[in-house]
C-alpha cells in the first residue's frame, strides 16, 4: 500500500469516527431514571397523615408540582438544575410556591439537595442489589440505600410504567417504632411514587407494648398524577 493511499484511508477513518453520534457528548447512563431537562414537570397527589397521642389522626390531601428549572453552575463547579416546587390543595386552584431544591448529576451519582442537605438518590448504572451511602455528602450518619426491582413494571394512580427502579432507604419496624423510606422511579420520567413513614409506638405499659399502637408520627405518600414538559 502506498503512503499516499494509507494517509487517505487514515483521514477517512478519523472523519467517520469523529462523526459518530455521542462521541463528544457526556455519556448517558444506561438507565436514566432522573431526566434532567429544563421545563420537565411532575404533579403528585399527596396524602399525609399525622398522628398525635390521644387524638384522632389528622388527614391532609394536596398536590405538589415539581418543575425542573434552567441549568446553572453550582458552588462546586458542577452543572445543576433548580427544582421549583409548588403546592395546591385541590385541582383548579392557583399554585403556591412551596420551596426550591436542586439536583445534579456528578459522574454516576444523582445528588438531590433538599432543604440544604445533599442526598445521593440514585447511582448509575442501577442494578438489583446495588447499594450506596445516601448521606455521603451531608453530616448525617451513613445510611445505606439499595436498588431493587430494576426494570420491573409498576402501576400507580391507574397508570402503568414499564421500566422502574425501587430505592429502599429504610424499611425498619420494631416494637418501638417504624421507619420506611421508599422511592420508585420510572425510566425517562423520574419519581412516580414516594412513601415516608416515621411512627413511634406505645411502650409505656405492658398492655400496649408490641401492639403497634401509634403514639405519634407521620406518614406521607406521593403518587404521580401527571407529567410532561412546559
Amino acid at each position: 500500500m502506498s503512503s499516499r493511499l494509507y494517509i487517505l484511508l487514515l483521514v477517512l477513518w478519523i472523519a467517520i469516527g469523529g462523526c459518530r453520534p455521542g462521541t463528544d457528548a457526556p455519556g448517558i447512563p444506561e438507565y436514566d431514571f432522573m431526566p434532567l431537562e429544563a421545563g420537565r414537570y411532575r404533579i403528585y397527589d399527596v396524602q399525609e397523615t399525622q398522628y398525635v397521642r390521644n387524638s384522632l389522626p389528622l388527614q391532609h390531601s394536596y398536590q405538589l408540582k415539581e418543575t425542573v428549572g434552567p441549568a446553572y453552575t453550582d458552588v462546586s463547579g458542577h452543572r445543576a438544575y433548580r427544582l421549583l416546587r409548588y403546592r395546591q390543595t385541590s385541582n383548579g386552584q392557583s399554585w403556591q410556591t412551596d420551596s426550591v431544591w436542586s439536583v445534579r448529576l456528578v459522574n454516576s451519582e444523582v445528588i438531590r439537595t433538599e432543604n440544604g442537605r445533599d442526598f445521593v438518590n440514585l447511582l448509575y448504572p442501577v442494578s438489583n442489589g446495588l447499594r450506596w451511602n445516601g448521606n455521603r455528602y451531608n453530616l448525617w450518619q451513613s445510611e445505606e440505600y439499595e436498588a431493587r426491582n430494576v426494570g420491573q413494571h409498576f402501576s400507580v394512580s391507574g397508570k402503568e410504567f414499564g421500566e422502574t427502579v425501587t430505592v429502599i432507604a429504610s424499611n425498619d419496624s420494631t416494637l418501638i417504632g417504624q421507619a420506611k423510606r421508599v422511592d420508585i422511579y420510572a425510566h425517562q420520567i423520574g419519581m412516580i411514587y414516594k412513601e415516608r413513614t416515621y411512627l413511634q409506638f406505645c411502650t409505656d405499659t405492658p398492655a400496649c407494648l408490641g401492639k403497634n399502637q401509634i403514639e405519634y408520627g407521620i406518614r406521607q405518600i406521593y403518587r404521580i398524577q401527571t407529567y410532561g414538559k412546559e
Side-chain angles (χ1 to χ4, degrees), residues 52-89:
V52 180
R53 188 174 187 176
N54 299 324
S55 299
L56 292 175
L58 299 176
Q59 304 280 348
H60 302 279
S61 297
Y62 55 93
Q63 291 184 319
L64 187 77
K65 180 180 181 181
E66 194 170 80
T67 301
V68 180
Y72 68 99
T73 301
D74 66 10
V75 294
S76 62
H78 294 110
R79 184 182 181 89
Y81 294 82
R82 288 183 176 85
L83 294 178
L84 311 175
R85 294 159 52 84
Y86 307 91
R87 178 169 168 164
Q88 67 177 9
T89 55

Side-chain angles (χ1 to χ4, degrees), residues 37-47 61-69 82-102 112 189 191 194 221-230:
E37 182 183 10
R40 281 183 177 263
Y41 72 90
R42 294 175 293 272
I43 297 176
Y44 303 95
D45 290 324
V46 183
Q47 292 180 327
S61 297
Y62 55 93
Q63 291 184 319
L64 187 77
K65 180 180 181 181
E66 194 170 80
T67 301
V68 180
R82 288 183 176 85
L83 294 178
L84 311 175
R85 294 159 52 84
Y86 307 91
R87 178 169 168 164
Q88 67 177 9
T89 55
S90 62
N91 274 320
Q93 290 191 344
S94 60
W95 290 101
Q96 303 296 319
T97 299
D98 180 84
S99 55
V100 178
W101 293 355
S102 67
R112 185 174 168 117
I189 295 172
M191 192 186 74
K194 177 168 79 170
I221 297 179
Y222 292 63
R223 297 179 175 91
I224 196 162
Q225 180 206 60
T226 187
Y227 56 92
K229 186 176 180 181
E230 296 177 327

Side-chain angles (χ1 to χ4, degrees), residues 144-182:
E144 185 178 83
Y145 289 20
E146 181 178 355
R148 300 180 185 176
N149 303 323
V150 176
Q152 297 295 312
H153 285 71
F154 187 79
S155 177
V156 59
S157 302
K159 301 176 179 62
E160 295 289 335
F161 299 92
E163 290 185 77
T164 70
V165 56
T166 299
V167 175
I168 307 293
S170 60
N171 190 11
D172 302 318
S173 184
T174 67
L175 294 177
I176 63 173
Q178 181 185 13
K180 184 176 182 181
R181 295 171 56 208
V182 177

Side-chain angles (χ1 to χ4, degrees), residues 1-10:
M1 181 185 297
S2 69
S3 59
R4 180 178 297 177
L5 179 58
Y6 175 81
I7 293 173
L8 177 61
L9 291 175
L10 180 61

Side-chain angles (χ1 to χ4, degrees), residues 192-209:
I192 58 173
Y193 178 89
K194 177 168 79 170
E195 180 176 348
R196 295 290 184 270
T197 298
Y198 304 98
L199 302 177
Q200 180 70 39
F201 299 146
C202 174
T203 59
D204 292 345
T205 66
C208 70
L209 183 63

